[in-house]
Amino acid sequence: MIRKLQAVALDCADPVRLAEFYADLLGGRVVANPEDPGWVEVHGFEGTPLACQRVDGYRPPEWPGQERPQQIHLDFDVDDLDGEEKRALALGATVLERTDQLRPGVNWRIYADPAGHPFCLCLH
């Protein structure tokens, strides 16, 4: 039987840069392995650790298109959507869609991390 989800791994061109982004976003810390610079983890926040792995020729997903589909995205609970958006953008995220402003009753916004992976900030 599987004990737990060990990590969620994100492909990217620069694992250190992506790990630093998520460590800053989540209040975690970067854990690098000097023997494998192509794999960098983010620990020290509530939830499953994130891993960032270098992929040669990495091509970011295109959102919302499907030529290069997202295949995975991360959802993060926040208490202050506007405040956390400002913080995410200052860390290097880009806005893909402010869904809460387009559809009544929706409580999330969609962003891309510095490597192009979509993620959502969800007001809870």
PDB file of all heavy atoms in Angstrom, residues 31-70:
ATOM      1  N   VAL A  31      15.522  22.924  -1.190  1.00  0.00           N
ATOM      2  CA  VAL A  31      16.393  21.827  -0.780  1.00  0.00           C
ATOM      3  C   VAL A  31      17.037  21.268  -2.046  1.00  0.00           C
ATOM      4  O   VAL A  31      16.387  20.576  -2.834  1.00  0.00           O
ATOM      5  CB  VAL A  31      15.605  20.719  -0.036  1.00  0.00           C
ATOM      6  CG1 VAL A  31      16.530  19.583   0.365  1.00  0.00           C
ATOM      7  CG2 VAL A  31      14.887  21.297   1.175  1.00  0.00           C
ATOM      8  N   ALA A  32      18.305  21.602  -2.240  1.00  0.00           N
ATOM      9  CA  ALA A  32      19.033  21.158  -3.430  1.00  0.00           C
ATOM     10  C   ALA A  32      19.915  19.969  -3.081  1.00  0.00           C
ATOM     11  O   ALA A  32      20.394  19.851  -1.950  1.00  0.00           O
ATOM     12  CB  ALA A  32      19.878  22.302  -3.977  1.00  0.00           C
ATOM     13  N   ASN A  33      20.133  19.121  -4.058  1.00  0.00           N
ATOM     14  CA  ASN A  33      21.019  17.978  -3.906  1.00  0.00           C
ATOM     15  C   ASN A  33      22.247  18.249  -4.768  1.00  0.00           C
ATOM     16  O   ASN A  33      22.144  18.229  -5.998  1.00  0.00           O
ATOM     17  CB  ASN A  33      20.309  16.705  -4.358  1.00  0.00           C
ATOM     18  CG  ASN A  33      21.179  15.472  -4.264  1.00  0.00           C
ATOM     19  OD1 ASN A  33      22.389  15.554  -4.048  1.00  0.00           O
ATOM     20  ND2 ASN A  33      20.565  14.318  -4.439  1.00  0.00           N
ATOM     21  N   PRO A  34      23.422  18.499  -4.161  1.00  0.00           N
ATOM     22  CA  PRO A  34      24.594  18.822  -4.960  1.00  0.00           C
ATOM     23  C   PRO A  34      24.991  17.713  -5.940  1.00  0.00           C
ATOM     24  O   PRO A  34      25.648  17.974  -6.937  1.00  0.00           O
ATOM     25  CB  PRO A  34      25.690  19.060  -3.936  1.00  0.00           C
ATOM     26  CG  PRO A  34      25.126  18.738  -2.605  1.00  0.00           C
ATOM     27  CD  PRO A  34      23.670  18.485  -2.749  1.00  0.00           C
ATOM     28  N   GLU A  35      24.560  16.490  -5.680  1.00  0.00           N
ATOM     29  CA  GLU A  35      24.883  15.381  -6.571  1.00  0.00           C
ATOM     30  C   GLU A  35      23.931  15.306  -7.769  1.00  0.00           C
ATOM     31  O   GLU A  35      24.206  14.599  -8.727  1.00  0.00           O
ATOM     32  CB  GLU A  35      24.862  14.071  -5.794  1.00  0.00           C
ATOM     33  CG  GLU A  35      25.949  14.014  -4.730  1.00  0.00           C
ATOM     34  CD  GLU A  35      25.890  12.728  -3.917  1.00  0.00           C
ATOM     35  OE1 GLU A  35      25.263  11.754  -4.371  1.00  0.00           O
ATOM     36  OE2 GLU A  35      26.469  12.724  -2.826  1.00  0.00           O
ATOM     37  N   ASP A  36      22.798  16.017  -7.698  1.00  0.00           N
ATOM     38  CA  ASP A  36      21.835  16.017  -8.794  1.00  0.00           C
ATOM     39  C   ASP A  36      21.263  17.418  -8.962  1.00  0.00           C
ATOM     40  O   ASP A  36      20.160  17.715  -8.494  1.00  0.00           O
ATOM     41  CB  ASP A  36      20.716  15.012  -8.525  1.00  0.00           C
ATOM     42  CG  ASP A  36      19.768  14.872  -9.706  1.00  0.00           C
ATOM     43  OD1 ASP A  36      19.997  15.528 -10.751  1.00  0.00           O
ATOM     44  OD2 ASP A  36      18.793  14.112  -9.585  1.00  0.00           O
ATOM     45  N   PRO A  37      21.986  18.319  -9.639  1.00  0.00           N
ATOM     46  CA  PRO A  37      21.515  19.696  -9.787  1.00  0.00           C
ATOM     47  C   PRO A  37      20.268  19.829 -10.659  1.00  0.00           C
ATOM     48  O   PRO A  37      19.662  20.881 -10.701  1.00  0.00           O
ATOM     49  CB  PRO A  37      22.710  20.413 -10.422  1.00  0.00           C
ATOM     50  CG  PRO A  37      23.495  19.341 -11.088  1.00  0.00           C
ATOM     51  CD  PRO A  37      23.267  18.088 -10.291  1.00  0.00           C
ATOM     52  N   GLY A  38      19.869  18.764 -11.305  1.00  0.00           N
ATOM     53  CA  GLY A  38      18.669  18.784 -12.132  1.00  0.00           C
ATOM     54  C   GLY A  38      17.391  18.496 -11.367  1.00  0.00           C
ATOM     55  O   GLY A  38      16.311  18.474 -11.950  1.00  0.00           O
ATOM     56  N   TRP A  39      17.501  18.276 -10.047  1.00  0.00           N
ATOM     57  CA  TRP A  39      16.331  17.977  -9.197  1.00  0.00           C
ATOM     58  C   TRP A  39      16.439  18.834  -7.950  1.00  0.00           C
ATOM     59  O   TRP A  39      17.384  18.702  -7.168  1.00  0.00           O
ATOM     60  CB  TRP A  39      16.316  16.497  -8.826  1.00  0.00           C
ATOM     61  CG  TRP A  39      15.163  16.072  -7.973  1.00  0.00           C
ATOM     62  CD1 TRP A  39      15.099  16.087  -6.611  1.00  0.00           C
ATOM     63  CD2 TRP A  39      13.903  15.561  -8.410  1.00  0.00           C
ATOM     64  NE1 TRP A  39      13.892  15.609  -6.180  1.00  0.00           N
ATOM     65  CE2 TRP A  39      13.133  15.278  -7.270  1.00  0.00           C
ATOM     66  CE3 TRP A  39      13.363  15.312  -9.665  1.00  0.00           C
ATOM     67  CZ2 TRP A  39      11.848  14.756  -7.347  1.00  0.00           C
ATOM     68  CZ3 TRP A  39      12.072  14.790  -9.735  1.00  0.00           C
ATOM     69  CH2 TRP A  39      11.332  14.510  -8.586  1.00  0.00           C
ATOM     70  N   VAL A  40      15.475  19.727  -7.756  1.00  0.00           N
ATOM     71  CA  VAL A  40      15.473  20.625  -6.601  1.00  0.00           C
ATOM     72  C   VAL A  40      14.090  20.559  -5.970  1.00  0.00           C
ATOM     73  O   VAL A  40      13.078  20.611  -6.677  1.00  0.00           O
ATOM     74  CB  VAL A  40      15.805  22.077  -7.022  1.00  0.00           C
ATOM     75  CG1 VAL A  40      15.830  22.996  -5.814  1.00  0.00           C
ATOM     76  CG2 VAL A  40      17.136  22.133  -7.771  1.00  0.00           C
ATOM     77  N   GLU A  41      14.041  20.444  -4.641  1.00  0.00           N
ATOM     78  CA  GLU A  41      12.758  20.316  -3.952  1.00  0.00           C
ATOM     79  C   GLU A  41      12.449  21.555  -3.123  1.00  0.00           C
ATOM     80  O   GLU A  41      13.345  22.305  -2.746  1.00  0.00           O
ATOM     81  CB  GLU A  41      12.763  19.081  -3.049  1.00  0.00           C
ATOM     82  CG  GLU A  41      12.877  17.791  -3.841  1.00  0.00           C
ATOM     83  CD  GLU A  41      12.789  16.539  -2.979  1.00  0.00           C
ATOM     84  OE1 GLU A  41      12.599  16.647  -1.740  1.00  0.00           O
ATOM     85  OE2 GLU A  41      12.901  15.450  -3.556  1.00  0.00           O
ATOM     86  N   VAL A  42      11.156  21.726  -2.832  1.00  0.00           N
ATOM     87  CA  VAL A  42      10.675  22.787  -1.955  1.00  0.00           C
ATOM     88  C   VAL A  42       9.976  22.112  -0.781  1.00  0.00           C
ATOM     89  O   VAL A  42       9.046  21.335  -0.975  1.00  0.00           O
ATOM     90  CB  VAL A  42       9.701  23.740  -2.687  1.00  0.00           C
ATOM     91  CG1 VAL A  42       9.244  24.853  -1.758  1.00  0.00           C
ATOM     92  CG2 VAL A  42      10.347  24.300  -3.947  1.00  0.00           C
ATOM     93  N   HIS A  43      10.446  22.403   0.420  1.00  0.00           N
ATOM     94  CA  HIS A  43       9.898  21.840   1.657  1.00  0.00           C
ATOM     95  C   HIS A  43       9.539  22.981   2.601  1.00  0.00           C
ATOM     96  O   HIS A  43       9.831  24.135   2.332  1.00  0.00           O
ATOM     97  CB  HIS A  43      10.940  20.951   2.350  1.00  0.00           C
ATOM     98  CG  HIS A  43      11.283  19.710   1.608  1.00  0.00           C
ATOM     99  ND1 HIS A  43      10.822  18.473   1.967  1.00  0.00           N
ATOM    100  CD2 HIS A  43      12.050  19.505   0.511  1.00  0.00           C
ATOM    101  CE1 HIS A  43      11.295  17.567   1.133  1.00  0.00           C
ATOM    102  NE2 HIS A  43      12.045  18.175   0.233  1.00  0.00           N
ATOM    103  N   GLY A  44       8.957  22.625   3.751  1.00  0.00           N
ATOM    104  CA  GLY A  44       8.760  23.585   4.829  1.00  0.00           C
ATOM    105  C   GLY A  44       7.471  24.377   4.759  1.00  0.00           C
ATOM    106  O   GLY A  44       7.360  25.428   5.353  1.00  0.00           O
ATOM    107  N   PHE A  45       6.476  23.881   4.050  1.00  0.00           N
ATOM    108  CA  PHE A  45       5.153  24.496   4.015  1.00  0.00           C
ATOM    109  C   PHE A  45       4.141  23.388   4.214  1.00  0.00           C
ATOM    110  O   PHE A  45       4.462  22.207   4.084  1.00  0.00           O
ATOM    111  CB  PHE A  45       4.910  25.241   2.689  1.00  0.00           C
ATOM    112  CG  PHE A  45       4.954  24.336   1.481  1.00  0.00           C
ATOM    113  CD1 PHE A  45       3.806  23.766   0.980  1.00  0.00           C
ATOM    114  CD2 PHE A  45       6.157  24.048   0.855  1.00  0.00           C
ATOM    115  CE1 PHE A  45       3.850  22.921  -0.128  1.00  0.00           C
ATOM    116  CE2 PHE A  45       6.214  23.214  -0.252  1.00  0.00           C
ATOM    117  CZ  PHE A  45       5.060  22.647  -0.734  1.00  0.00           C
ATOM    118  N   GLU A  46       2.913  23.752   4.540  1.00  0.00           N
ATOM    119  CA  GLU A  46       1.883  22.740   4.755  1.00  0.00           C
ATOM    120  C   GLU A  46       1.487  22.125   3.420  1.00  0.00           C
ATOM    121  O   GLU A  46       1.135  22.823   2.482  1.00  0.00           O
ATOM    122  CB  GLU A  46       0.655  23.371   5.412  1.00  0.00           C
ATOM    123  CG  GLU A  46      -0.389  22.362   5.803  1.00  0.00           C
ATOM    124  CD  GLU A  46      -1.553  22.990   6.552  1.00  0.00           C
ATOM    125  OE1 GLU A  46      -1.368  24.033   7.183  1.00  0.00           O
ATOM    126  OE2 GLU A  46      -2.639  22.409   6.474  1.00  0.00           O
ATOM    127  N   GLY A  47       1.600  20.821   3.307  1.00  0.00           N
ATOM    128  CA  GLY A  47       1.222  20.134   2.077  1.00  0.00           C
ATOM    129  C   GLY A  47       2.365  19.288   1.537  1.00  0.00           C
ATOM    130  O   GLY A  47       3.433  19.192   2.124  1.00  0.00           O
ATOM    131  N   THR A  48       2.119  18.694   0.403  1.00  0.00           N
ATOM    132  CA  THR A  48       3.075  17.811  -0.259  1.00  0.00           C
ATOM    133  C   THR A  48       4.228  18.625  -0.838  1.00  0.00           C
ATOM    134  O   THR A  48       3.988  19.649  -1.484  1.00  0.00           O
ATOM    135  CB  THR A  48       2.378  17.027  -1.375  1.00  0.00           C
ATOM    136  OG1 THR A  48       1.322  16.256  -0.790  1.00  0.00           O
ATOM    137  CG2 THR A  48       3.337  16.095  -2.087  1.00  0.00           C
ATOM    138  N   PRO A  49       5.468  18.194  -0.633  1.00  0.00           N
ATOM    139  CA  PRO A  49       6.604  18.914  -1.223  1.00  0.00           C
ATOM    140  C   PRO A  49       6.509  18.976  -2.745  1.00  0.00           C
ATOM    141  O   PRO A  49       5.953  18.095  -3.388  1.00  0.00           O
ATOM    142  CB  PRO A  49       7.819  18.078  -0.799  1.00  0.00           C
ATOM    143  CG  PRO A  49       7.375  17.356   0.425  1.00  0.00           C
ATOM    144  CD  PRO A  49       5.907  17.071   0.202  1.00  0.00           C
ATOM    145  N   LEU A  50       7.069  20.042  -3.291  1.00  0.00           N
ATOM    146  CA  LEU A  50       7.172  20.197  -4.736  1.00  0.00           C
ATOM    147  C   LEU A  50       8.594  19.898  -5.156  1.00  0.00           C
ATOM    148  O   LEU A  50       9.541  20.235  -4.439  1.00  0.00           O
ATOM    149  CB  LEU A  50       6.825  21.623  -5.155  1.00  0.00           C
ATOM    150  CG  LEU A  50       5.387  22.056  -4.959  1.00  0.00           C
ATOM    151  CD1 LEU A  50       5.233  23.532  -5.305  1.00  0.00           C
ATOM    152  CD2 LEU A  50       4.449  21.215  -5.822  1.00  0.00           C
ATOM    153  N   ALA A  51       8.752  19.286  -6.305  1.00  0.00           N
ATOM    154  CA  ALA A  51      10.071  19.054  -6.879  1.00  0.00           C
ATOM    155  C   ALA A  51      10.100  19.700  -8.252  1.00  0.00           C
ATOM    156  O   ALA A  51       9.095  19.712  -8.968  1.00  0.00           O
ATOM    157  CB  ALA A  51      10.357  17.558  -6.985  1.00  0.00           C
ATOM    158  N   CYS A  52      11.247  20.232  -8.602  1.00  0.00           N
ATOM    159  CA  CYS A  52      11.430  20.863  -9.907  1.00  0.00           C
ATOM    160  C   CYS A  52      12.559  20.113 -10.597  1.00  0.00           C
ATOM    161  O   CYS A  52      13.654  19.996 -10.039  1.00  0.00           O
ATOM    162  CB  CYS A  52      11.781  22.341  -9.734  1.00  0.00           C
ATOM    163  SG  CYS A  52      10.553  23.237  -8.753  1.00  0.00           S
ATOM    164  N   GLN A  53      12.279  19.593 -11.781  1.00  0.00           N
ATOM    165  CA  GLN A  53      13.294  18.802 -12.469  1.00  0.00           C
ATOM    166  C   GLN A  53      13.611  19.386 -13.836  1.00  0.00           C
ATOM    167  O   GLN A  53      12.718  19.777 -14.585  1.00  0.00           O
ATOM    168  CB  GLN A  53      12.891  17.338 -12.586  1.00  0.00           C
ATOM    169  CG  GLN A  53      11.716  17.041 -13.464  1.00  0.00           C
ATOM    170  CD  GLN A  53      11.426  15.557 -13.531  1.00  0.00           C
ATOM    171  OE1 GLN A  53      12.197  14.718 -13.080  1.00  0.00           O
ATOM    172  NE2 GLN A  53      10.292  15.211 -14.108  1.00  0.00           N
ATOM    173  N   ARG A  54      14.907  19.450 -14.126  1.00  0.00           N
ATOM    174  CA  ARG A  54      15.369  19.988 -15.405  1.00  0.00           C
ATOM    175  C   ARG A  54      15.043  19.011 -16.528  1.00  0.00           C
ATOM    176  O   ARG A  54      15.275  17.815 -16.427  1.00  0.00           O
ATOM    177  CB  ARG A  54      16.870  20.243 -15.379  1.00  0.00           C
ATOM    178  CG  ARG A  54      17.406  20.778 -16.720  1.00  0.00           C
ATOM    179  CD  ARG A  54      18.884  21.094 -16.681  1.00  0.00           C
ATOM    180  NE  ARG A  54      19.114  22.243 -15.812  1.00  0.00           N
ATOM    181  CZ  ARG A  54      19.796  22.201 -14.671  1.00  0.00           C
ATOM    182  NH1 ARG A  54      20.320  21.077 -14.262  1.00  0.00           N
ATOM    183  NH2 ARG A  54      19.950  23.276 -13.944  1.00  0.00           N
ATOM    184  N   VAL A  55      14.496  19.554 -17.607  1.00  0.00           N
ATOM    185  CA  VAL A  55      14.197  18.784 -18.802  1.00  0.00           C
ATOM    186  C   VAL A  55      14.828  19.522 -19.973  1.00  0.00           C
ATOM    187  O   VAL A  55      14.529  20.701 -20.200  1.00  0.00           O
ATOM    188  CB  VAL A  55      12.670  18.648 -19.003  1.00  0.00           C
ATOM    189  CG1 VAL A  55      12.358  18.029 -20.346  1.00  0.00           C
ATOM    190  CG2 VAL A  55      12.049  17.846 -17.879  1.00  0.00           C
ATOM    191  N   ASP A  56      15.720  18.855 -20.678  1.00  0.00           N
ATOM    192  CA  ASP A  56      16.333  19.462 -21.856  1.00  0.00           C
ATOM    193  C   ASP A  56      15.257  19.731 -22.900  1.00  0.00           C
ATOM    194  O   ASP A  56      14.385  18.893 -23.139  1.00  0.00           O
ATOM    195  CB  ASP A  56      17.408  18.548 -22.442  1.00  0.00           C
ATOM    196  CG  ASP A  56      18.613  18.404 -21.533  1.00  0.00           C
ATOM    197  OD1 ASP A  56      18.874  19.340 -20.738  1.00  0.00           O
ATOM    198  OD2 ASP A  56      19.280  17.363 -21.595  1.00  0.00           O
ATOM    199  N   GLY A  57      15.299  20.904 -23.492  1.00  0.00           N
ATOM    200  CA  GLY A  57      14.324  21.262 -24.508  1.00  0.00           C
ATOM    201  C   GLY A  57      12.936  21.538 -23.959  1.00  0.00           C
ATOM    202  O   GLY A  57      11.949  21.462 -24.695  1.00  0.00           O
ATOM    203  N   TYR A  58      12.855  21.850 -22.664  1.00  0.00           N
ATOM    204  CA  TYR A  58      11.562  22.104 -22.035  1.00  0.00           C
ATOM    205  C   TYR A  58      10.763  23.154 -22.807  1.00  0.00           C
ATOM    206  O   TYR A  58      11.294  24.180 -23.203  1.00  0.00           O
ATOM    207  CB  TYR A  58      11.746  22.577 -20.587  1.00  0.00           C
ATOM    208  CG  TYR A  58      10.464  23.033 -19.948  1.00  0.00           C
ATOM    209  CD1 TYR A  58       9.510  22.115 -19.536  1.00  0.00           C
ATOM    210  CD2 TYR A  58      10.193  24.389 -19.784  1.00  0.00           C
ATOM    211  CE1 TYR A  58       8.323  22.523 -18.970  1.00  0.00           C
ATOM    212  CE2 TYR A  58       9.001  24.815 -19.208  1.00  0.00           C
ATOM    213  CZ  TYR A  58       8.068  23.878 -18.809  1.00  0.00           C
ATOM    214  OH  TYR A  58       6.888  24.289 -18.248  1.00  0.00           O
ATOM    215  N   ARG A  59       9.503  22.853 -23.029  1.00  0.00           N
ATOM    216  CA  ARG A  59       8.574  23.783 -23.669  1.00  0.00           C
ATOM    217  C   ARG A  59       7.398  23.970 -22.734  1.00  0.00           C
ATOM    218  O   ARG A  59       6.707  23.004 -22.415  1.00  0.00           O
ATOM    219  CB  ARG A  59       8.104  23.223 -25.005  1.00  0.00           C
ATOM    220  CG  ARG A  59       9.236  23.111 -26.028  1.00  0.00           C
ATOM    221  CD  ARG A  59       8.818  22.412 -27.297  1.00  0.00           C
ATOM    222  NE  ARG A  59       7.621  23.034 -27.858  1.00  0.00           N
ATOM    223  CZ  ARG A  59       6.772  22.397 -28.653  1.00  0.00           C
ATOM    224  NH1 ARG A  59       6.950  21.135 -28.973  1.00  0.00           N
ATOM    225  NH2 ARG A  59       5.720  23.019 -29.133  1.00  0.00           N
ATOM    226  N   PRO A  60       7.151  25.197 -22.268  1.00  0.00           N
ATOM    227  CA  PRO A  60       6.059  25.411 -21.309  1.00  0.00           C
ATOM    228  C   PRO A  60       4.698  25.136 -21.917  1.00  0.00           C
ATOM    229  O   PRO A  60       4.514  25.248 -23.135  1.00  0.00           O
ATOM    230  CB  PRO A  60       6.200  26.887 -20.926  1.00  0.00           C
ATOM    231  CG  PRO A  60       6.951  27.512 -22.032  1.00  0.00           C
ATOM    232  CD  PRO A  60       7.831  26.441 -22.617  1.00  0.00           C
ATOM    233  N   PRO A  61       3.729  24.789 -21.068  1.00  0.00           N
ATOM    234  CA  PRO A  61       2.371  24.594 -21.559  1.00  0.00           C
ATOM    235  C   PRO A  61       1.810  25.901 -22.113  1.00  0.00           C
ATOM    236  O   PRO A  61       2.241  26.978 -21.710  1.00  0.00           O
ATOM    237  CB  PRO A  61       1.580  24.153 -20.326  1.00  0.00           C
ATOM    238  CG  PRO A  61       2.505  24.167 -19.188  1.00  0.00           C
ATOM    239  CD  PRO A  61       3.846  24.586 -19.640  1.00  0.00           C
ATOM    240  N   GLU A  62       0.863  25.779 -23.020  1.00  0.00           N
ATOM    241  CA  GLU A  62       0.131  26.939 -23.520  1.00  0.00           C
ATOM    242  C   GLU A  62      -1.257  26.895 -22.923  1.00  0.00           C
ATOM    243  O   GLU A  62      -1.964  25.901 -23.076  1.00  0.00           O
ATOM    244  CB  GLU A  62       0.037  26.900 -25.041  1.00  0.00           C
ATOM    245  CG  GLU A  62       1.336  27.147 -25.737  1.00  0.00           C
ATOM    246  CD  GLU A  62       1.185  27.110 -27.254  1.00  0.00           C
ATOM    247  OE1 GLU A  62       0.108  26.722 -27.754  1.00  0.00           O
ATOM    248  OE2 GLU A  62       2.159  27.467 -27.918  1.00  0.00           O
ATOM    249  N   TRP A  63      -1.629  27.943 -22.242  1.00  0.00           N
ATOM    250  CA  TRP A  63      -2.949  27.997 -21.633  1.00  0.00           C
ATOM    251  C   TRP A  63      -3.729  29.103 -22.293  1.00  0.00           C
ATOM    252  O   TRP A  63      -3.182  30.192 -22.489  1.00  0.00           O
ATOM    253  CB  TRP A  63      -2.824  28.249 -20.128  1.00  0.00           C
ATOM    254  CG  TRP A  63      -4.146  28.149 -19.448  1.00  0.00           C
ATOM    255  CD1 TRP A  63      -4.680  27.027 -18.879  1.00  0.00           C
ATOM    256  CD2 TRP A  63      -5.100  29.186 -19.290  1.00  0.00           C
ATOM    257  NE1 TRP A  63      -5.917  27.309 -18.381  1.00  0.00           N
ATOM    258  CE2 TRP A  63      -6.201  28.641 -18.621  1.00  0.00           C
ATOM    259  CE3 TRP A  63      -5.154  30.519 -19.663  1.00  0.00           C
ATOM    260  CZ2 TRP A  63      -7.334  29.377 -18.307  1.00  0.00           C
ATOM    261  CZ3 TRP A  63      -6.274  31.258 -19.355  1.00  0.00           C
ATOM    262  CH2 TRP A  63      -7.349  30.683 -18.674  1.00  0.00           C
ATOM    263  N   PRO A  64      -4.941  28.899 -22.703  1.00  0.00           N
ATOM    264  CA  PRO A  64      -5.765  27.706 -22.529  1.00  0.00           C
ATOM    265  C   PRO A  64      -5.671  26.724 -23.686  1.00  0.00           C
ATOM    266  O   PRO A  64      -6.391  25.739 -23.702  1.00  0.00           O
ATOM    267  CB  PRO A  64      -7.176  28.279 -22.433  1.00  0.00           C
ATOM    268  CG  PRO A  64      -7.138  29.475 -23.341  1.00  0.00           C
ATOM    269  CD  PRO A  64      -5.735  30.023 -23.208  1.00  0.00           C
ATOM    270  N   GLY A  65      -4.796  26.962 -24.657  1.00  0.00           N
ATOM    271  CA  GLY A  65      -4.695  26.076 -25.809  1.00  0.00           C
ATOM    272  C   GLY A  65      -4.286  24.667 -25.450  1.00  0.00           C
ATOM    273  O   GLY A  65      -3.849  24.394 -24.331  1.00  0.00           O
ATOM    274  N   GLN A  66      -4.393  23.777 -26.398  1.00  0.00           N
ATOM    275  CA  GLN A  66      -4.068  22.376 -26.151  1.00  0.00           C
ATOM    276  C   GLN A  66      -2.921  21.871 -27.019  1.00  0.00           C
ATOM    277  O   GLN A  66      -2.618  20.682 -27.010  1.00  0.00           O
ATOM    278  CB  GLN A  66      -5.306  21.505 -26.375  1.00  0.00           C
ATOM    279  CG  GLN A  66      -6.391  21.754 -25.344  1.00  0.00           C
ATOM    280  CD  GLN A  66      -5.913  21.444 -23.947  1.00  0.00           C
ATOM    281  OE1 GLN A  66      -5.432  20.355 -23.664  1.00  0.00           O
ATOM    282  NE2 GLN A  66      -6.010  22.417 -23.050  1.00  0.00           N
ATOM    283  N   GLU A  67      -2.252  22.773 -27.760  1.00  0.00           N
ATOM    284  CA  GLU A  67      -1.107  22.330 -28.556  1.00  0.00           C
ATOM    285  C   GLU A  67      -0.014  21.790 -27.633  1.00  0.00           C
ATOM    286  O   GLU A  67       0.623  20.789 -27.926  1.00  0.00           O
ATOM    287  CB  GLU A  67      -0.564  23.478 -29.399  1.00  0.00           C
ATOM    288  CG  GLU A  67       0.545  23.024 -30.335  1.00  0.00           C
ATOM    289  CD  GLU A  67       1.003  24.141 -31.253  1.00  0.00           C
ATOM    290  OE1 GLU A  67       0.156  24.921 -31.723  1.00  0.00           O
ATOM    291  OE2 GLU A  67       2.213  24.212 -31.500  1.00  0.00           O
ATOM    292  N   ARG A  68       0.205  22.479 -26.532  1.00  0.00           N
ATOM    293  CA  ARG A  68       1.095  22.005 -25.459  1.00  0.00           C
ATOM    294  C   ARG A  68       0.283  22.088 -24.169  1.00  0.00           C
ATOM    295  O   ARG A  68       0.348  23.068 -23.439  1.00  0.00           O
ATOM    296  CB  ARG A  68       2.361  22.860 -25.381  1.00  0.00           C
ATOM    297  CG  ARG A  68       3.267  22.662 -26.579  1.00  0.00           C
ATOM    298  CD  ARG A  68       4.649  23.259 -26.416  1.00  0.00           C
ATOM    299  NE  ARG A  68       4.712  24.570 -25.840  1.00  0.00           N
ATOM    300  CZ  ARG A  68       4.958  25.696 -26.523  1.00  0.00           C
ATOM    301  NH1 ARG A  68       5.167  25.653 -27.823  1.00  0.00           N
ATOM    302  NH2 ARG A  68       5.013  26.850 -25.921  1.00  0.00           N
ATOM    303  N   PRO A  69      -0.515  21.059 -23.842  1.00  0.00           N
ATOM    304  CA  PRO A  69      -1.447  21.126 -22.716  1.00  0.00           C
ATOM    305  C   PRO A  69      -0.738  21.203 -21.373  1.00  0.00           C
ATOM    306  O   PRO A  69       0.404  20.782 -21.219  1.00  0.00           O
ATOM    307  CB  PRO A  69      -2.253  19.829 -22.844  1.00  0.00           C
ATOM    308  CG  PRO A  69      -1.390  18.910 -23.618  1.00  0.00           C
ATOM    309  CD  PRO A  69      -0.554  19.771 -24.522  1.00  0.00           C
ATOM    310  N   GLN A  70      -1.464  21.737 -20.400  1.00  0.00           N
ATOM    311  CA  GLN A  70      -0.906  21.924 -19.069  1.00  0.00           C
ATOM    312  C   GLN A  70      -0.609  20.609 -18.360  1.00  0.00           C
ATOM    313  O   GLN A  70       0.322  20.535 -17.585  1.00  0.00           O
ATOM    314  CB  GLN A  70      -1.811  22.813 -18.219  1.00  0.00           C
ATOM    315  CG  GLN A  70      -3.173  22.219 -17.970  1.00  0.00           C
ATOM    316  CD  GLN A  70      -4.048  23.135 -17.150  1.00  0.00           C
ATOM    317  OE1 GLN A  70      -3.563  23.868 -16.297  1.00  0.00           O
ATOM    318  NE2 GLN A  70      -5.333  23.106 -17.393  1.00  0.00           N
TER     319      GLN A  70
END
